[in-house]
């Protein structure tokens, strides 16, 4: 078909995570995707398309909530949920602080810090609070090549606080620079702790990274609690290039973001998609709609929306939808387009 190996893998992962695709994505068919999105705004048939988006959004929200430590039952990542997760992660870091011994900053780490300083000091310089904590860290490491676990956690907390403030203030360059500094420190600790402490540190690191991907640049709407897959994907690409962009991390959260991104609207939320679809040849439009409503996915969704009381009506696709909505003749197709 027209799908890449990664897209094919994600289709299966989406099924595992309770997410759904319309035929346009399943087939890799651009024209069909355009038609599906034009139908999204049809007052009669739009619920079919919107239901798929709603279910994907809920599944993505749940995976995001799990990734930041909120459990399996949270389906909205709103401000309260973000605050609860942040408090729990901070508490977790305080809990391991006393179990971390001396952390050595070897030449390789010091070189990384020096390179970071040369790239980012102009960005940090205008902010006195950020500059003070960075200067303090660098001065300390000039005197000694090690820090206690307590010192590491104090610096990590102070730098993280300034990073959050920078992002909140819209200073992306400073936010990225300070996040990178935290990451250097975290990786340094990770290489020197093992056993239960090492596992807890790694778990906290994954939760922290997931939380940062949501909090940064409107990755989540703190009012509705809905995750924005495009923003979170960009954040993960920046924060964890190896894990996200190069595919080394195939966790449920990362794959849910990838799947939701793959199933995003082909164009934005304006009426542009409707106009683009209307410019297609009528024969191509008819074929696209017939494919949409003849696929198991389309039939299952149509059945669940138009026959809500039917047995198994809530299921998407599969045998339960087969033949229940007989939209197969040209007259019905034209009605679907014109309503």
């Amino acid at each position: 078909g027209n799908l890449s190996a990664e897209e094919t893998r994600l289709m299966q992962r989406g099924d595992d995570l309770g997410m759904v695709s319309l035929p346009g994505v399943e087939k890799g068919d651009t024209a069909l995707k355009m038609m599906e999105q034009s139908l999204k705004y049809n007052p009669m048939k739009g619920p079919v398309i919107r239901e798929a988006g709603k279910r994907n959004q809920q599944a993505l929200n749940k995976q995001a909530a799990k990734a930041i430590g909120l459990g399996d039952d949270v389906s909205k990542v709103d401000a309260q949920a973000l605050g609860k997760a942040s408090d729990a992660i901070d508490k977790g870091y305080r809990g391991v602080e006393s179990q971390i011994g001396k952390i050595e900053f070897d030449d390789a780490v010091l070189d990384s810090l020096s390179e970071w300083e040369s790239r980012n000091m102009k960005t940090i310089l205008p902010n006195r609070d950020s500059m003070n904590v960075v200067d303090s860290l660098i001065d300390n490491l000039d005197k000694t090549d090690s820090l206690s676990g307590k010192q590491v956690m104090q610096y990590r907390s102070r730098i993280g606080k300034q990073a959050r403030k920078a992002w909140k203030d819209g200073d992306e360059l400073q936010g990225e620079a300070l996040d990178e500094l935290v990451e250097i420190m975290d990786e340094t600790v990770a290489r020197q702790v093992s056993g239960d402490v090492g596992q807890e540190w790694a778990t906290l690191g994954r939760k922290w990274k997931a939380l940062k991907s949501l909090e940064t640049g409107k990755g989540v709407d703190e009012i509705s609690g809905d995750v924005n897959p495009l923003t979170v994907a960009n954040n993960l690409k920046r924060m964890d290039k190896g894990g996200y962009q190069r595919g080394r991390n195939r966790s449920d959260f990362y794959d849910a973001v990838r799947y939701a991104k793959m199933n995003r609207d082909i164009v934005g939320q304006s009426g542009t998609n409707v106009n683009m679809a209307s410019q297609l040849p009528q024969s191509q439009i008819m074929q696209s709609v017939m494919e949409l409503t003849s696929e198991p996915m389309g039939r299952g969704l149509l059945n669940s929306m138009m026959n809500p009381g039917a047995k198994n009506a809530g299921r998407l696709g599969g045998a339960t939808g087969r033949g229940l909505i007989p939209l197969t003749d040209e007259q019905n197709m034209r009605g679907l387009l014109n309503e």
Side-chain angles (χ1 to χ4, degrees), residues 20-39:
V20 296
S21 289
L22 293 172
V25 172
E26 292 178 350
K27 293 172 177 290
D29 187 328
T30 300
L32 186 53
K33 285 190 285 186
M34 290 167 62
M35 174 51 57
E36 290 164 354
Q37 290 311 313
S38 71
L39 287 176

Side-chain angles (χ1 to χ4, degrees), residues 36-48:
E36 290 164 354
Q37 290 311 313
S38 71
L39 287 176
K40 180 178 179 179
Y41 302 95
N42 183 295
M44 294 297 293
K45 313 306 179 188
V48 175

Side-chain angles (χ1 to χ4, degrees), residues 58-298:
Q58 290 174 341
L60 175 59
N61 292 349
K62 285 185 177 183
Q63 292 304 326
K66 286 174 62 177
I68 58 178
L70 296 179
D72 297 332
D73 301 324
V74 178
S75 59
K76 294 291 185 182
V77 193
D78 56 16
Q80 183 177 1
L82 292 170
K84 182 178 180 180
S86 180
D87 290 345
I89 293 170
D90 287 344
K91 182 178 180 180
Y93 275 122
R94 290 195 299 272
V96 299
E97 176 183 298
S98 61
Q99 303 176 60
I100 298 174
K102 182 185 294 185
I103 298 298
E104 302 289 340
F105 287 74
D106 60 21
D107 289 343
V109 178
L110 293 175
D111 286 345
S112 294
L113 288 171
S114 178
E115 193 269 337
W116 177 92
E117 183 180 14
S118 65
R119 282 189 292 107
N120 293 297
M121 287 310 286
K122 288 183 180 180
T123 300
I124 302 300
L125 190 61
N127 188 307
R128 179 174 297 178
D129 291 336
S130 296
M131 194 68 197
N132 286 342
V133 65
V134 171
D135 276 346
S136 176
L137 172 64
I138 291 174
D139 287 346
N140 246 324
L141 292 175
D142 281 341
K143 298 173 184 175
T144 177
D145 56 4
S146 65
L147 296 174
S148 68
K150 183 176 181 179
Q151 285 177 305
V152 170
M153 293 309 301
Q154 286 175 339
Y155 279 121
R156 189 190 187 286
S157 178
R158 291 172 63 190
I159 295 168
K161 180 179 179 180
Q162 291 304 315
R164 287 192 294 273
K165 184 177 184 300
W167 282 111
K168 184 177 180 181
D169 293 343
D171 190 342
E172 295 185 7
L173 290 177
Q174 184 173 174
E176 288 183 4
L178 294 172
D179 280 348
E180 183 184 352
L181 184 55
V182 171
E183 188 70 18
I184 292 173
M185 297 180 68
D186 282 357
E187 290 176 354
T188 302
V189 174
R191 288 192 293 269
Q192 298 179 53
V193 293
S194 58
D196 292 342
V197 177
Q199 290 181 7
E200 179 64 13
W201 184 264
T203 298
L204 288 168
R206 287 192 294 270
K207 291 178 180 179
W208 176 81
K209 193 168 291 183
L211 182 64
K212 288 292 296 182
S213 76
L214 297 172
E215 290 185 325
T216 300
K218 299 186 183 300
V220 65
D221 186 322
E222 70 278 7
I223 306 300
S224 70
D226 287 339
V227 176
N228 183 328
L230 299 183
T231 300
V232 173
N234 287 335
N235 290 340
L236 290 174
K237 189 184 300 183
R238 174 181 57 83
M239 296 169 57
D240 188 11
K241 183 171 290 188
Y244 184 80
Q245 188 169 7
R246 296 171 184 161
R248 294 171 187 161
N249 186 329
R250 294 186 173 184
S251 65
D252 288 349
F253 174 52
Y254 276 46
D255 274 351
V257 172
R258 293 182 180 110
Y259 186 93
K261 180 183 178 185
M262 186 174 73
N263 281 273
R264 70 190 184 279
D265 289 355
I266 193 168
V267 293
Q269 296 297 319
S270 68
T272 308
N273 47 2
V274 179
N275 294 332
M276 290 174 68
S278 67
Q279 295 169 13
L280 294 172
Q282 183 71 9
S283 60
Q284 189 172 358
I285 293 176
M286 296 296 296
Q287 179 64 29
S288 295
V289 179
M290 290 183 74
E291 289 186 17
L292 170 62
T293 53
S294 64
E295 287 286 331
M297 171 64 205

Side-chain angles (χ1 to χ4, degrees), residues 11 14-15 17-23 25-26 48-57 59 259-260 262-263 297 301 314-317:
M11 294 300 293
D15 288 343
L17 297 171
M19 304 175 89
V20 296
S21 289
L22 293 172
V25 172
E26 292 178 350
V48 175
I49 310 298
R50 294 195 296 272
E51 178 68 11
K54 179 181 177 182
R55 295 187 188 194
N56 284 349
Q57 184 68 68
Y259 186 93
M262 186 174 73
N263 281 273
M297 171 64 205
L301 272 174
R315 292 186 58 186
L316 296 176

